[in-house]
Amino acid sequence: MSLLKKKWGVAIAGLGNYATGQLIPALQQTAHCYLAGIVSGNSSKMGEWKKRYQLPDKNIYTYDNFDSIKDNPDIDIVYVTLPTHLHAEYSIRAVQAGKHVICEKPMAFNIAECDEMMAAAEKANRCIAIGYRLQFDPYHLEMIRLAKEKVYGEIKSIDTAFSFMPQAGEWRLNKTVAGGGPLMDVGIYCIQAVCYITGITPLSVTAHAVPVSDSKKFIGIEETIHFQLEMPGGVIAHCRSSFSEETGYLKVNCSNGWFELDPAYNFSGLKMNTSDGKNFDMHIISQQATQMDNMALAFQNNQPSIASAEMGKRDMIIMAAVYEAMKTGKRVDIKIP
Ligand code: NAD
């Protein structure tokens, strides 16, 4: 991989909704990376995307010949957009093939897999970043600024929720594929937001799940979970995530007012409100293009992305504590190493 190369080549592994609806279009707007290849098990999808973006045959991989990507200098980064149970396997195979990795959230199925991914990346001297797009969104960056500069005073509490309704049969409803329910899929955004808004990590958590409304649809996973993250200094973040409602907001309550995003977690159309009626109208960009450019630049400079594997593991540790609190009904301490 040459550092002099202007744009780094990205191969997208998994041609599902997020890859084809968001990431591949975003790669047409990036300055530091471009769509160089695809990895898929579906020959008709491969043919379609190959034709649409005039990808050479040598840059099209199946899951079976994926490891031979190591011999392809066109590919610098593998972006893993497969279901959660495959994140560790493909991230590890990609770093072993000498590629940097962007792995979608949640980083892995469990904390042990995060450790295996990080060890493999270190051994191969490659970086793994997590697809946390909102760390690069201007509205979220403005929320972070308002919090950091105490524009509305000290943070007193946070209210946030992210919920959506998956279709019956989706892998998100299958615990052996997804690792959990809405917490792992979208509640993770609430955890992310609480950490980057406060700039600290939670000390402990209490949680409870609402009894499921459909025992055939929600097997072994929570349908709706409420959890309270207790931050150092006494701030409590009230969080909710569900697979049976559609919502997404983030409100930060402070000593001299409040600021919020509603909607907070969408790909576009975010809206910011403040207690003093300020109007924020940010330049609309592709979150994913900014995210991938930022990550490609970090990799080129041999730096971890701000959305690092360590952060992905931190969030897995927090989610494991949330699940433990949900199961035991007790307050659970969160120990980030
Ligand atoms: P999807 O179901 O639309 O796509 C999954 C892809 O993986 C499909 O192409 C499917 O064929 C393929 N696949 C390969 N092996 C599979 C298996 N054993 N089971 C099921 N599918 C298999 O899902 P998606 O919504 O595109 O999500 C993919 C990843 O992207 C997930 O990790 C998800 O959390 C993440 N995602 C991130 C965001 C974000 O905003 N960062 C948004 C949506 C999804």
Side-chain angles (χ1 to χ4, degrees), residues 16-18 45 81-83 87 104-105 133 171-172 189:
N17 289 325
Y18 190 55
K45 273 194 208 167
T81 61
L82 291 160
H87 287 183
E104 259 315 317
K105 41 58 57 180
R133 60 188 160 82
W171 61 264
R172 287 177 167 79
Y189 287 89

Side-chain angles (χ1 to χ4, degrees), residues 237-257:
H238 303 271
C239 310
R240 184 175 84 257
S241 185
S242 173
F243 272 166
S244 55
E245 55 179 43
E246 298 266 356
T247 193
Y249 58 81
L250 169 62
K251 183 172 184 188
V252 184
N253 306 298
C254 303
S255 49
N256 298 325

